[in-house]
């Protein structure tokens, strides 16, 4: 219902903006995140309406499957207001999206990991006079979802999660799991761990958490490709979710928005006062402590995967939209800026918590809005 209300509100405001019937003025930090008045009409529109500008034609994009459900909701609202634009986002995975971007096949890409130096270098041949930059746009908890009959409230810590996905803990009634779940009726059942078969920013973030929080139990270097042996593999977050749903005894990692239809989600024992379940609020608390480590227009972040703050969910990823800071193609630049402006604005960010994602904290998203206006 909340998403439906947001959709109706966005459509109504977008129609007003397109018809020119409503003139908006800056309204403090709620408009731009900067706390300054006198902002440009474009920045104001990012927060208060969908401003189409001269956007038209087809906008091709690809990348992170983690944000696909958010993108779908955003595209629905945006294209209802800006009927001259068709947005086609594939959601083939972060690795595929970065490759498509550096090869000039898409106007922007989504990635759950910031661009590596080699990808930045490759982007310069596409971004004439500029380069690809990372714009943090949507956060989300990575749920460790499971399907174990009779087990409803499972608690795990980083060490047990690492050992499960590395094949060191193989049965659900293992002593390490039982210690974390006193009183639970854990079955004598084989654990079936599922991981991504494709290169994935979700895998990258999941393994970054294991490296940071359980270094003695997870000895792999990490990255978009799964490195541990054994287990079941599936393509995309949807594929992992489907595999877990179909297999009693299964466990897998996926964005919270995919952990539906009877799947349980693990509460993580971080050392805080209580185990933390995946949630939008928990993800936002985790991202609020992140540091911007990008330079220039790049806004890549460094997350604290080993946080022990109460309520902060450590298994959180940030999906970046990757675009050229300069040298965007003239025929897609207006639509790219209009779409990114909408999803970074208050309207776009406002629908996220209702669909199991988390908005980017104000201090960071305000910088994103400013950077979008400077794309050329």
């Amino acid at each position: 219902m909340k998403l439906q209300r947001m959709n109706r509100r966005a459509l109504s405001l977008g129609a007003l903006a397109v018809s020119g019937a409503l003139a908006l003025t800056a309204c403090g930090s709620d408009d731009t995140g900067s706390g300054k008045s006198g902002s440009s009409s474009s920045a104001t529109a990012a927060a208060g309406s969908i401003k189409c500008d001269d956007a038209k034609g087809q906008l091709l994009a690809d990348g992170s499957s983690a944000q696909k459900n958010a993108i779908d909701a955003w595209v629905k609202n945006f294209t209802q207001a800006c009927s001259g634009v068709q947005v086609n986002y594939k959601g083939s995975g972060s690795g595929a999206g970065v490759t498509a971007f550096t090869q000039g096949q898409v106007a922007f890409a989504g990635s759950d990991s910031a661009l590596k130096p080699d990808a930045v270098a490759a982007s310069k041949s596409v971004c004439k006079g500029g380069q690809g930059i990372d714009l943090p746009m949507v956060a989300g908890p990575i749920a460790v979802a499971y399907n174990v009959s009779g087990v409803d409230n499972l608690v795990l810590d980083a060490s047990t999660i690492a050992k499960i996905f590395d094949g060191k803990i193989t049965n659900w009634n293992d002593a390490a799991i039982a210690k974390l779940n006193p009183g639970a009726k854990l079955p004598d059942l084989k654990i079936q761990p599922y991981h991504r078969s494709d290169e994935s920013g979700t895998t990258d973030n999941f393994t970054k958490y294991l490296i940071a929080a359980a270094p003695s139990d997870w000895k792999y270097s990490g990255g978009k490709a799964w490195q541990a042996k054994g287990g079941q593999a599936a393509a995309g977050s949807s594929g992992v979710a489907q595999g877990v749903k179909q297999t009693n005894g299964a466990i897998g990692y996926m964005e919270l928005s995919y952990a539906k239809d009877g799947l349980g989600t693990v509460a993580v024992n971080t050392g805080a006062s209580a185990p933390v379940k995946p949630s939008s609020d928990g993800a936002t608390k985790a991202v609020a402590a992140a540091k911007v480590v990008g330079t220039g227009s790049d806004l890549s972040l460094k997350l604290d995967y080993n946080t022990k703050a109460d309520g902060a969910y450590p298994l959180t990823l940030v999906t970046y939209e990757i675009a050229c800071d300069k040298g965007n193609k003239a025929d897609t630049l207006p639509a790219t800026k209009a779409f990114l402006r909408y999803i970074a604005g208050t309207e776009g960010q406002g629908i996220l918590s209702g669909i199991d994602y988390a908005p980017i904290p104000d201090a960071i998203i305000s910088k994103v809005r400013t950077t979008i206006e400077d794309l050329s």
Side-chain angles (χ1 to χ4, degrees):
M1 291 298 294
K2 181 176 179 182
L3 179 56
Q4 292 173 344
R5 290 195 298 270
M6 287 293 184
N7 286 347
R8 289 195 296 269
R9 183 182 177 201
L11 176 58
S12 174
L13 289 171
L16 287 168
V18 173
S19 68
L22 180 63
L24 296 172
T25 57
C27 187
S29 60
D30 286 343
D31 289 331
T32 64
S34 66
K36 296 179 182 180
S37 60
S39 301
S40 70
S41 60
S42 293
T44 303
S49 68
I50 298 177
K51 184 175 175 62
C52 302
D53 287 339
D54 299 321
K56 59 184 178 180
Q58 188 175 50
L59 192 61
L60 299 179
D62 195 3
S64 164
S65 66
Q67 69 167 354
K68 182 65 164 59
N69 292 335
I71 288 281
D72 288 347
W74 282 332
V75 167
K76 180 179 180 181
N77 291 349
F78 180 78
T79 54
Q80 282 177 337
C82 303
S83 58
V85 183
Q86 180 184 354
V87 182
N88 184 350
Y89 182 84
K90 282 180 158 184
S92 302
S94 296
V98 171
T99 297
F101 178 77
T102 57
Q103 292 179 350
Q105 298 171 1
V106 294
F108 72 91
S111 176
D112 308 320
S113 300
L115 289 170
K116 299 292 191 291
D118 59 340
V120 173
S123 73
K124 292 180 180 180
S125 64
V126 174
C127 307
K128 303 300 183 182
Q131 65 181 46
I133 57 171
D134 301 289
L135 301 173
M137 198 67 73
V138 55
I142 301 173
V144 181
Y146 64 96
N147 175 9
V148 183
S149 297
V151 179
D152 297 323
N153 297 293
L154 185 66
V155 176
L156 298 175
D157 58 15
S159 176
T160 56
I161 294 171
K163 290 176 181 177
I164 286 170
F165 281 90
D166 198 23
K168 301 296 173 53
I169 292 177
T170 59
N171 228 54
W172 280 109
N173 62 354
D174 187 274
I177 301 176
K179 185 177 179 180
L180 291 164
N181 297 272
K185 294 181 179 179
L186 298 169
D188 182 8
L189 178 67
K190 183 181 178 181
I191 297 174
Q192 301 276 4
Y194 273 78
H195 60 265
R196 290 282 289 273
S197 61
D198 52 326
E199 287 201 354
S200 161
T202 310
T203 295
D204 192 15
N205 283 274
F206 180 64
T207 55
K208 281 178 180 176
Y209 162 71
L210 296 178
I211 291 167
S216 62
D217 299 305
W218 193 260
K219 300 295 187 179
Y220 304 98
S221 61
K224 290 187 177 73
W226 184 255
Q227 295 172 323
K229 305 300 182 183
Q232 307 294 325
S237 294
S238 59
V240 172
Q242 189 64 25
V244 176
K245 288 175 186 177
Q246 292 176 347
T247 309
N248 187 28
I251 188 169
Y253 58 91
M254 65 200 73
E255 291 68 40
L256 182 58
S257 63
Y258 290 91
K260 301 290 188 182
D261 301 329
L263 290 182
T265 56
V266 168
V268 179
N269 184 340
T270 64
S273 61
V276 187
K277 292 276 283 186
S279 70
S280 296
D281 288 344
T284 298
K285 287 179 180 179
V287 176
K291 296 179 180 179
V292 176
V293 293
T295 58
S297 299
D298 187 86
L299 296 173
S300 56
L301 304 174
K302 182 177 181 179
L303 301 175
D304 181 7
Y305 294 98
N306 204 22
T307 180
K308 294 178 174 58
D310 284 347
Y313 185 72
L315 253 168
T316 293
L317 62 77
V318 170
T319 294
Y320 301 93
E321 310 310 335
I322 296 168
C324 297
D325 57 355
K326 299 177 182 178
N328 288 278
K329 294 179 181 178
D331 59 340
T332 57
L333 178 59
T336 299
K337 290 183 71 169
F339 183 68
L340 295 180
R341 180 186 295 130
Y342 159 60
I343 68 178
T346 300
E347 291 293 327
Q349 292 288 300
I351 72 172
L352 292 176
S353 60
I355 52 175
D356 294 320
Y357 291 95
I360 300 297
D362 289 343
I364 299 172
I365 202 65
S366 64
K367 296 177 182 178
V368 173
R369 292 169 183 160
T370 299
T371 301
I372 290 169
E373 296 309 317
D374 290 335
L375 298 181
S376 63

